[in-house]
Amino acid sequence: DLPHLALSDPTAIALNYTEDASKVDKAKAPTFVAGSVCANCNFFQGAAAAFGPCALFPGKAVNAKGWCAGYVKKA
C-alpha cells in the first residue's frame, strides 16, 4: 500500500489537492467543476478502492473522492 498524499506535500499544495471534492474552495480553484473527483480523473490509477495511485503524485495514494487542479476527466 502506498502512503496517503499529505495535504502539506508541496505538489499537493501547488495543485490545490483536497481529500474531499465537496469542500473545494472555488475561490482558490476556479477550474473546479461539480462532479469532478479523483476517481473519474485520467491520472487516477486506482480501481474501486477509497485511495489509489495517481500519476501526478508518484509514490502516493490519493483519495478517490478528492480533487486537484491537475484534474482531467477520463475519456
Side-chain angles (χ1 to χ4, degrees):
D1 285 340
L2 295 173
H4 292 184
L5 178 65
L7 295 177
S8 60
D9 180 276
T11 307
I13 292 169
L15 291 176
N16 291 317
Y17 171 74
T18 181
E19 289 192 327
D20 185 348
S22 70
K23 297 180 181 176
V24 168
D25 181 346
K26 291 167 187 68
K28 292 181 181 178
T31 60
F32 176 76
V33 175
S36 301
V37 293
C38 294
N40 62 27
C41 177
N42 191 53
F43 296 111
F44 186 74
Q45 300 164 336
F51 282 80
C54 174
L56 296 177
F57 304 104
K60 303 286 171 50
V62 298
N63 192 324
K65 296 179 182 178
W67 180 87
C68 86
Y71 176 86
V72 175
K73 187 174 182 176
K74 280 185 184 175

